Amino acid sequence: MSDSSNECCRAAEQFCFRGFLVSFGFLLLWFLSMMVADEFVIGLHAKFLGIHEANLDQFTYDAKMIMYLLMGVFKLAAMLLFFIPWLVLRFSRK
């Protein structure tokens, strides 16, 4: 490989690794906010959506399930978009 293509591969590798770290930092922040301040976050969303006090218990359950589902989808996307390409670029070097 020439030096310019080797530098391009290293730049792509660094981009993938940094994207992976940023996405997992965001995921960690999201998880901690749901663990520490879940009532605040869900109450805020309920207020924005106009959920009344009578329906708040069902909304709380649904909101937690949706949040954890979206966290899983986000983690899967981060693995597919950043981690796997980083592994391929990292271990494809001679």
Side-chain angles (χ1 to χ4, degrees):
M1 258 200 238
S2 66
D3 288 336
S4 63
S5 65
N6 196 13
E7 288 177 24
C8 183
C9 287
R10 285 188 184 171
E13 179 186 337
Q14 287 178 350
F15 174 78
C16 288
F17 187 68
R18 288 178 185 161
F20 177 69
L21 289 180
V22 167
S23 63
F24 264 79
F26 179 73
L27 188 65
L28 182 64
L29 178 69
W30 190 3
F31 177 73
L32 289 175
S33 71
M34 286 305 295
M35 296 276 42
V36 174
D38 62 338
E39 294 297 323
F40 173 72
V41 171
I42 292 171
L44 191 64
H45 285 119
K47 188 186 300 183
F48 285 150
L49 295 173
I51 305 296
H52 298 290
E53 200 64 36
N55 300 332
L56 195 58
D57 288 335
Q58 180 64 36
F59 178 74
T60 301
Y61 176 76
D62 292 342
K64 284 183 182 181
M65 293 300 290
I66 290 171
M67 287 289 186
Y68 289 121
L69 176 75
L70 289 174
M71 281 185 212
V73 169
F74 188 83
K75 183 168 70 171
L76 183 63
M79 296 289 262
L80 290 174
L81 292 174
F82 296 117
F83 186 67
I84 293 174
W86 175 75
L87 282 177
V88 169
L89 289 168
R90 179 74 176 163
F91 292 118
S92 67
R93 280 195 254 157
K94 291 183 181 178

